Amino acid sequence: MKTKSIQQILPPPPPHMVGDGFRVHNFFPSGYDMDIRRMSPFFLLDYNSKVDFAGTDAPRGVGVHPHRGFETVTIAYHGKVAHHDSTGNSGVIGEGDVQWMTAASGVLHKEYHEKEYARKGGLFQMVQLWVNLPAKDKMSKPKYQGITNDQMGKYYLPDNGGVVDVIAGELNGIKGPAFTFTPIQMYNVRVKKGANFTLNFPETFNTGILIIEGKVKVNNTDEAPADHFVLFKNDGETIIIEALEDSIVLVLSGEPINEPIAPYGPFLMNTKEELIQAYEDFNSGKFGNLED
Ligand code: MN
């Protein structure tokens, strides 16, 4: 099989605040001059690199806001986040856990630091992805999957090289628990210094890795340090990763959704008319109720 060559290794763009609880580097769609469908079905990648938040009795976060047409996936590495939405779903995720919320036809939600974590303060590190939905599923029923670390598929690298948390998709027969609408592979690879591993994804799948911790060598050629995103070309199947330090690598690969997209604010639709409809529905209360 042929190697997927590296298109670019992207350093973290300057961060901005989302609400007062998330200090994020947006790798795409706006951080770099990338086509908005370059990483489809992944539309947005916000990365909260490590921040040490001071303790507070008023948890930081983002207040009530709507979403329609996609899924928000939050992956916690340090700190804890609480979620509430207008369908009545809620949950708290901590280190190693994932929250997979399907906004689909529309929800209101709020995302806050969990109370106890907020009170003590401390290290905070998260990823939030927006995963697009195909047109036929955009108006489906909202859904919430709270996925704890122990529910994830565990693939053990040979020679005690580490462990792969399979969140979605499958790795060497080990399946991830997340339900996805289109084919998606999502793993956290926790790899020990000196170990290496190979992953295979179809050539057409858009693929990238985010170095969460440590430093790796990719395809035996390029070094990628922590907080960098490696974007691969669609010209092969295989990626080879060697850990130069104990590392954590978030791996994203998915089949592109080849449909027009119309993104605006918290909505991600196929057409401008659907965006207008989304604002009308939101303004007329069709997204339900959620208290601040
Ligand atoms: Mn949100």
Side-chain angles (χ1 to χ4, degrees):
M1 277 197 277
K2 198 175 169 295
T3 303
K4 279 186 194 293
S5 43
I6 296 167
Q7 178 171 328
Q8 219 180 338
I9 297 181
L10 307 170
H16 66 273
M17 291 302 293
V18 177
D20 63 358
F22 304 90
R23 194 207 62 172
V24 305
H25 310 273
N26 179 259
F27 281 95
F28 54 84
S30 33
Y32 287 91
D33 191 19
M34 232 187 255
D35 184 277
I36 55 170
R37 295 194 301 182
R38 177 61 187 86
M39 273 297 290
S40 173
F42 310 101
F43 173 74
L44 173 145
L45 169 56
D46 269 349
Y47 172 48
N48 190 134
S49 59
K50 281 181 195 160
V51 185
D52 208 340
F53 281 110
T56 172
D57 285 330
R60 297 174 174 86
V62 196
V64 176
H65 60 280
H67 290 301
R68 174 182 279 182
F70 64 101
E71 306 182 283
T72 64
V73 177
T74 309
I75 306 168
Y77 296 96
H78 289 285
K80 285 186 176 176
V81 171
H83 156 98
H84 291 86
D85 70 44
S86 51
T87 70
N89 287 317
S90 65
V92 172
I93 57 163
E95 195 166 321
D97 302 336
V98 170
Q99 179 190 90
W100 196 297
M101 186 195 74
T102 307
S105 65
V107 298
L108 304 176
H109 80 157
K110 52 184 179 180
E111 302 159 272
Y112 275 93
H113 295 185
E114 180 271 336
K115 243 187 193 164
E116 278 313 302
Y117 160 74
R119 199 185 318 261
K120 284 188 221 133
L123 212 51
F124 193 81
Q125 187 183 24
M126 307 256 159
V127 162
Q128 184 166 93
L129 290 155
W130 288 13
V131 177
N132 196 12
L133 292 172
K136 67 174 176 54
D137 298 314
K138 277 195 186 293
M139 292 304 282
S140 62
K141 206 169 151 242
K143 174 179 158 91
Y144 179 85
Q145 306 172 73
I147 303 168
T148 56
N149 190 267
D150 60 354
Q151 294 170 330
M152 292 174 190
K154 302 284 176 184
Y155 175 75
Y156 292 90
L157 297 172
D159 305 319
N160 253 327
V163 60
V164 182
D165 294 341
V166 183
I167 301 165
E170 183 254 333
L171 175 61
N172 300 331
I174 306 293
K175 287 196 168 72
F179 172 87
T180 68
F181 288 80
T182 59
I184 286 172
Q185 308 284 345
M186 190 182 294
Y187 324 134
N188 271 314
V189 184
R190 298 166 194 277
V191 57
K192 291 184 188 154
K193 182 180 176 177
N196 58 71
F197 59 94
T198 301
L199 299 170
N200 294 298
F201 305 114
E203 188 172 295
T204 53
F205 276 35
N206 291 325
T207 302
I209 60 173
L210 179 64
I211 317 306
I212 301 293
E213 196 79 57
K215 190 201 255 190
V216 299
K217 187 182 256 190
V218 185
N219 292 348
N220 299 315
T221 53
D222 294 70
E223 289 186 7
D227 302 339
H228 284 54
F229 184 80
V230 183
L231 176 66
F232 294 93
K233 290 185 184 168
N234 298 77
D235 62 352
E237 293 87 23
T238 302
I239 63 177
I240 304 156
I241 296 169
E242 178 195 347
L244 302 175
E245 299 169 6
D246 286 352
S247 299
I248 301 175
V249 179
L250 172 64
V251 177
L252 304 172
S253 188
E255 184 179 84
I257 299 170
N258 290 317
E259 295 175 356
I261 61 171
Y264 197 84
F267 304 129
L268 180 49
M269 306 306 292
N270 295 106
T271 67
K272 200 178 158 190
E273 291 66 34
E274 290 166 355
L275 280 178
I276 294 167
Q277 188 65 51
Y279 276 96
E280 275 176 16
D281 291 349
F282 170 58
N283 289 328
S284 60
K286 288 193 181 143
F287 281 53
N289 281 304
L290 185 64
E291 273 178 37
D292 234 327

